[in-house]
Amino acid sequence: MKDKETFSDSLRRALEEEGFAKEAREEIVEDYREMISEASLSKEEESAFIGELGSPREIAKKLAREMPKQTKDDHKLVALSPFLALIAFFLIGTISNVWHPTWLVFFITPISAIWTETRGLDRLKGLSVFVLIAGYVLLATYTGDWHPLWALLVLMVALNLYERGGRIRKAGALYTVAAVGGFLTLDYLLGIQFMHVLLFAPTLVLAVESGVFGVRFDIEGRSTTRQEKVVFSGLVVLMAAVYLLLGFMWALWHPGWLVFLLVPLFALLYVQFILGEKLPLVAYSPFIATALFVIVGHAFDAYNLSWLFFLAIPVLGILTDKDDEEKEYS
Amino acid sequence: MDAQFKKGVLELCLLQLIAEGPKTPFDLLEALAEPIGVNVNTIYPLLRRLESEGRLTHQKHREGPHPPRKQFTLTEAGEERLLYLKDMWRRLSDAVEQLLGGHEDEG
């Protein structure tokens, strides 16, 4: 039974990544579950049939290709958002000559995708990442208080803990919100420095234990191993420590936050070189383009030009997009 | 069998099988996997496309103690499409038969 559940979860996530609306995702997963049940009733071993189905990611990709209308109609806003963001970036940048933090308007692309794709707590959780980062960068740029305002980012952990459910995690979420408030109060009002970071110790322990920092590797219906969870949770904590170190020691709060991009980058490298999954170059491009955009923009005060790095994403996509018609009947 | 060729005839085969009586995706897989050499990941997206084009519809059907299963039936548009594809197939196969026969006679 575990195989069927693992397969369903992986397929659901893969369909989400391909931009299927929630209703369509659930229907497709239900159809595949029915087929697995029928196969096991007729003659086949459930696990053998699941093996024949192949990778959930490939299934989702194929469905996205075969049913383009269903995905595209739902996502006109998402498709338009990069152009709208670029126009807004140029207008605001040219008029005000403030390119940083105007570049935050590019967040409307992931924000609109999350808004279209998710509902309820999932939506809140997804939006919180971009809203909190944008809020942090905006506030910190104009106040200069990169520390202690980074504590606002910890609110993402609170939402994740709450979403995972359970009495202890929900209590942990409430504690985390209070800890953020307490941290900022102690720092701003009482001038207590450094040691009050210990307020976040219980949050950190609970977050690691709950797998909040986890990275999912849903390839061929396999589930993420305990070892992978530990390594990648550790990596997130390590990057947070590196960020704080860069900030406290060399005041590199911005663009030091770029170290967090190493987490998805390492995850992609792990998938490609350790798990042996073929990944197109375009998978890496958003992270590399963002890093180059910020580094070049910051170092040479040239955000008005460095946005060109983002063009590498669609260009690479076009260059590496293979016609895989022939694979369809394999 | 060539992939493009299979793709062309699969829609016709699916519609014909469903015209004979309501079918689940698994029924269709069992009927087509061996003779045409297709898998569920080829059949299922086509079923979804045909349904979104209004050529198929589905009902949930319960049989015995098992949970209800999705069964596809043809709509009027599906029946028309089947007639059209059958006609196309017959014309094509006649033409190819004649061509092949002609060549065999020559040989």
mmCIF file of all heavy atoms in Angstrom, chain A residues 206-230:
data_model
loop_
_atom_site.group_PDB
_atom_site.id
_atom_site.type_symbol
_atom_site.label_atom_id
_atom_site.label_comp_id
_atom_site.label_asym_id
_atom_site.label_seq_id
_atom_site.Cartn_x
_atom_site.Cartn_y
_atom_site.Cartn_z
ATOM 1 N N LEU A 206 12.720 22.434 16.802
ATOM 2 C CA LEU A 206 11.421 21.934 16.345
ATOM 3 C C LEU A 206 11.348 21.895 14.819
ATOM 4 O O LEU A 206 10.801 20.953 14.227
ATOM 5 C CB LEU A 206 10.312 22.841 16.904
ATOM 6 C CG LEU A 206 8.907 22.252 16.992
ATOM 7 C CD1 LEU A 206 8.897 20.973 17.806
ATOM 8 C CD2 LEU A 206 7.962 23.269 17.623
ATOM 9 N N ALA A 207 11.917 22.917 14.174
ATOM 10 C CA ALA A 207 11.879 22.988 12.708
ATOM 11 C C ALA A 207 12.693 21.868 12.088
ATOM 12 O O ALA A 207 12.256 21.225 11.127
ATOM 13 C CB ALA A 207 12.402 24.338 12.238
ATOM 14 N N VAL A 208 13.865 21.595 12.644
ATOM 15 C CA VAL A 208 14.706 20.512 12.108
ATOM 16 C C VAL A 208 14.017 19.168 12.345
ATOM 17 O O VAL A 208 13.914 18.331 11.451
ATOM 18 C CB VAL A 208 16.115 20.536 12.748
ATOM 19 C CG1 VAL A 208 16.900 19.295 12.371
ATOM 20 C CG2 VAL A 208 16.872 21.784 12.310
ATOM 21 N N GLU A 209 13.464 19.007 13.539
ATOM 22 C CA GLU A 209 12.797 17.742 13.882
ATOM 23 C C GLU A 209 11.583 17.512 12.981
ATOM 24 O O GLU A 209 11.292 16.388 12.578
ATOM 25 C CB GLU A 209 12.383 17.793 15.362
ATOM 26 C CG GLU A 209 11.902 16.475 15.935
ATOM 27 C CD GLU A 209 10.430 16.218 15.663
ATOM 28 O OE1 GLU A 209 9.644 17.188 15.540
ATOM 29 O OE2 GLU A 209 10.077 15.040 15.533
ATOM 30 N N SER A 210 10.879 18.591 12.622
ATOM 31 C CA SER A 210 9.667 18.455 11.800
ATOM 32 C C SER A 210 9.977 18.418 10.309
ATOM 33 O O SER A 210 9.068 18.309 9.494
ATOM 34 C CB SER A 210 8.720 19.631 12.066
ATOM 35 O OG SER A 210 8.533 19.804 13.430
ATOM 36 N N GLY A 211 11.230 18.573 9.950
ATOM 37 C CA GLY A 211 11.591 18.533 8.527
ATOM 38 C C GLY A 211 11.150 19.769 7.762
ATOM 39 O O GLY A 211 10.915 19.720 6.560
ATOM 40 N N VAL A 212 11.020 20.900 8.469
ATOM 41 C CA VAL A 212 10.584 22.147 7.819
ATOM 42 C C VAL A 212 11.559 22.569 6.720
ATOM 43 O O VAL A 212 11.175 23.093 5.684
ATOM 44 C CB VAL A 212 10.430 23.272 8.877
ATOM 45 C CG1 VAL A 212 10.310 24.639 8.221
ATOM 46 C CG2 VAL A 212 9.217 23.004 9.736
ATOM 47 N N PHE A 213 12.847 22.304 6.940
ATOM 48 C CA PHE A 213 13.858 22.726 5.964
ATOM 49 C C PHE A 213 14.127 21.651 4.916
ATOM 50 O O PHE A 213 15.103 21.718 4.186
ATOM 51 C CB PHE A 213 15.183 23.060 6.670
ATOM 52 C CG PHE A 213 15.048 24.086 7.747
ATOM 53 C CD1 PHE A 213 15.558 23.857 9.014
ATOM 54 C CD2 PHE A 213 14.409 25.284 7.494
ATOM 55 C CE1 PHE A 213 15.439 24.814 10.012
ATOM 56 C CE2 PHE A 213 14.281 26.243 8.484
ATOM 57 C CZ PHE A 213 14.794 25.998 9.747
ATOM 58 N N GLY A 214 13.259 20.656 4.890
ATOM 59 C CA GLY A 214 13.506 19.512 4.009
ATOM 60 C C GLY A 214 13.449 19.860 2.539
ATOM 61 O O GLY A 214 12.804 20.826 2.128
ATOM 62 N N VAL A 215 14.156 19.069 1.749
ATOM 63 C CA VAL A 215 14.098 19.188 0.290
ATOM 64 C C VAL A 215 13.563 17.859 -0.208
ATOM 65 O O VAL A 215 13.974 16.808 0.277
ATOM 66 C CB VAL A 215 15.509 19.448 -0.283
ATOM 67 C CG1 VAL A 215 15.470 19.512 -1.800
ATOM 68 C CG2 VAL A 215 16.063 20.748 0.274
ATOM 69 N N ARG A 216 12.599 17.904 -1.142
ATOM 70 C CA ARG A 216 11.997 16.650 -1.602
ATOM 71 C C ARG A 216 12.660 16.176 -2.885
ATOM 72 O O ARG A 216 12.929 16.953 -3.783
ATOM 73 C CB ARG A 216 10.504 16.859 -1.872
ATOM 74 C CG ARG A 216 9.710 17.080 -0.628
ATOM 75 C CD ARG A 216 8.255 17.218 -0.978
ATOM 76 N NE ARG A 216 8.009 18.140 -2.060
ATOM 77 C CZ ARG A 216 6.976 18.967 -2.108
ATOM 78 N NH1 ARG A 216 6.112 18.976 -1.128
ATOM 79 N NH2 ARG A 216 6.795 19.767 -3.128
ATOM 80 N N PHE A 217 12.926 14.883 -2.941
ATOM 81 C CA PHE A 217 13.488 14.297 -4.162
ATOM 82 C C PHE A 217 12.520 13.222 -4.646
ATOM 83 O O PHE A 217 12.623 12.076 -4.242
ATOM 84 C CB PHE A 217 14.858 13.670 -3.894
ATOM 85 C CG PHE A 217 15.842 14.658 -3.348
ATOM 86 C CD1 PHE A 217 16.160 14.682 -2.012
ATOM 87 C CD2 PHE A 217 16.437 15.582 -4.196
ATOM 88 C CE1 PHE A 217 17.062 15.601 -1.518
ATOM 89 C CE2 PHE A 217 17.342 16.500 -3.701
ATOM 90 C CZ PHE A 217 17.655 16.516 -2.361
ATOM 91 N N ASP A 218 11.551 13.611 -5.438
ATOM 92 C CA ASP A 218 10.521 12.645 -5.839
ATOM 93 C C ASP A 218 10.806 12.117 -7.242
ATOM 94 O O ASP A 218 10.178 12.471 -8.207
ATOM 95 C CB ASP A 218 9.133 13.278 -5.783
ATOM 96 C CG ASP A 218 9.072 14.575 -6.539
ATOM 97 O OD1 ASP A 218 10.151 15.139 -6.802
ATOM 98 O OD2 ASP A 218 7.970 15.006 -6.902
ATOM 99 N N ILE A 219 11.805 11.263 -7.298
ATOM 100 C CA ILE A 219 12.198 10.714 -8.590
ATOM 101 C C ILE A 219 11.823 9.242 -8.635
ATOM 102 O O ILE A 219 12.082 8.507 -7.672
ATOM 103 C CB ILE A 219 13.713 10.882 -8.792
ATOM 104 C CG1 ILE A 219 14.040 12.370 -8.744
ATOM 105 C CG2 ILE A 219 14.169 10.291 -10.108
ATOM 106 C CD1 ILE A 219 15.396 12.642 -8.244
ATOM 107 N N GLU A 220 11.230 8.810 -9.725
ATOM 108 C CA GLU A 220 10.806 7.413 -9.901
ATOM 109 C C GLU A 220 9.969 6.921 -8.729
ATOM 110 O O GLU A 220 10.058 5.775 -8.327
ATOM 111 C CB GLU A 220 12.032 6.484 -10.045
ATOM 112 C CG GLU A 220 12.939 6.822 -11.189
ATOM 113 C CD GLU A 220 12.330 6.525 -12.541
ATOM 114 O OE1 GLU A 220 11.308 5.798 -12.587
ATOM 115 O OE2 GLU A 220 12.858 7.020 -13.546
ATOM 116 N N GLY A 221 9.160 7.833 -8.154
ATOM 117 C CA GLY A 221 8.293 7.434 -7.065
ATOM 118 C C GLY A 221 9.027 7.123 -5.774
ATOM 119 O O GLY A 221 8.440 6.643 -4.825
ATOM 120 N N ARG A 222 10.345 7.381 -5.731
ATOM 121 C CA ARG A 222 11.080 7.103 -4.503
ATOM 122 C C ARG A 222 10.812 8.207 -3.484
ATOM 123 O O ARG A 222 10.543 9.347 -3.859
ATOM 124 C CB ARG A 222 12.591 7.005 -4.788
ATOM 125 C CG ARG A 222 13.239 8.352 -5.025
ATOM 126 C CD ARG A 222 14.631 8.214 -5.541
ATOM 127 N NE ARG A 222 15.617 7.984 -4.505
ATOM 128 C CZ ARG A 222 16.099 8.921 -3.713
ATOM 129 N NH1 ARG A 222 15.662 10.159 -3.807
ATOM 130 N NH2 ARG A 222 17.018 8.646 -2.825
ATOM 131 N N SER A 223 10.860 7.840 -2.214
ATOM 132 C CA SER A 223 10.677 8.887 -1.218
ATOM 133 C C SER A 223 12.044 9.355 -0.735
ATOM 134 O O SER A 223 13.044 8.644 -0.855
ATOM 135 C CB SER A 223 9.827 8.378 -0.052
ATOM 136 O OG SER A 223 10.208 7.080 0.272
ATOM 137 N N THR A 224 12.048 10.567 -0.189
ATOM 138 C CA THR A 224 13.296 11.150 0.281
ATOM 139 C C THR A 224 13.813 10.334 1.477
ATOM 140 O O THR A 224 13.045 9.991 2.371
ATOM 141 C CB THR A 224 13.029 12.603 0.730
ATOM 142 O OG1 THR A 224 12.312 13.244 -0.318
ATOM 143 C CG2 THR A 224 14.315 13.345 0.991
ATOM 144 N N THR A 225 15.100 10.013 1.451
ATOM 145 C CA THR A 225 15.640 9.194 2.538
ATOM 146 C C THR A 225 15.908 10.057 3.770
ATOM 147 O O THR A 225 16.008 11.283 3.669
ATOM 148 C CB THR A 225 16.968 8.519 2.136
ATOM 149 O OG1 THR A 225 17.930 9.554 1.914
ATOM 150 C CG2 THR A 225 16.819 7.694 0.869
ATOM 151 N N ARG A 226 16.042 9.382 4.900
ATOM 152 C CA ARG A 226 16.295 10.099 6.152
ATOM 153 C C ARG A 226 17.618 10.861 6.069
ATOM 154 O O ARG A 226 17.731 11.996 6.517
ATOM 155 C CB ARG A 226 16.337 9.075 7.294
ATOM 156 C CG ARG A 226 16.330 9.713 8.626
ATOM 157 C CD ARG A 226 16.259 8.719 9.764
ATOM 158 N NE ARG A 226 16.775 9.325 10.980
ATOM 159 C CZ ARG A 226 16.146 10.265 11.656
ATOM 160 N NH1 ARG A 226 14.965 10.684 11.266
ATOM 161 N NH2 ARG A 226 16.685 10.798 12.748
ATOM 162 N N GLN A 227 18.597 10.193 5.427
ATOM 163 C CA GLN A 227 19.916 10.800 5.283
ATOM 164 C C GLN A 227 19.827 12.121 4.486
ATOM 165 O O GLN A 227 20.439 13.124 4.854
ATOM 166 C CB GLN A 227 20.812 9.826 4.549
ATOM 167 C CG GLN A 227 22.241 9.887 4.987
ATOM 168 C CD GLN A 227 23.055 8.798 4.309
ATOM 169 O OE1 GLN A 227 22.563 8.080 3.430
ATOM 170 N NE2 GLN A 227 24.303 8.666 4.697
ATOM 171 N N GLU A 228 19.047 12.077 3.403
ATOM 172 C CA GLU A 228 18.876 13.286 2.578
ATOM 173 C C GLU A 228 18.218 14.398 3.387
ATOM 174 O O GLU A 228 18.605 15.562 3.290
ATOM 175 C CB GLU A 228 18.021 12.960 1.351
ATOM 176 C CG GLU A 228 18.762 12.146 0.310
ATOM 177 C CD GLU A 228 17.837 11.525 -0.723
ATOM 178 O OE1 GLU A 228 16.600 11.610 -0.570
ATOM 179 O OE2 GLU A 228 18.355 10.932 -1.678
ATOM 180 N N LYS A 229 17.193 14.004 4.169
ATOM 181 C CA LYS A 229 16.495 15.015 4.977
ATOM 182 C C LYS A 229 17.460 15.676 5.950
ATOM 183 O O LYS A 229 17.463 16.896 6.098
ATOM 184 C CB LYS A 229 15.354 14.349 5.762
ATOM 185 C CG LYS A 229 14.128 14.076 4.926
ATOM 186 C CD LYS A 229 13.051 13.430 5.772
ATOM 187 C CE LYS A 229 11.911 12.952 4.888
ATOM 188 N NZ LYS A 229 10.978 12.085 5.590
ATOM 189 N N VAL A 230 18.285 14.856 6.604
ATOM 190 C CA VAL A 230 19.225 15.387 7.604
ATOM 191 C C VAL A 230 20.240 16.313 6.930
ATOM 192 O O VAL A 230 20.482 17.437 7.378
ATOM 193 C CB VAL A 230 19.951 14.225 8.328
ATOM 194 C CG1 VAL A 230 21.093 14.749 9.191
ATOM 195 C CG2 VAL A 230 18.969 13.437 9.179
#
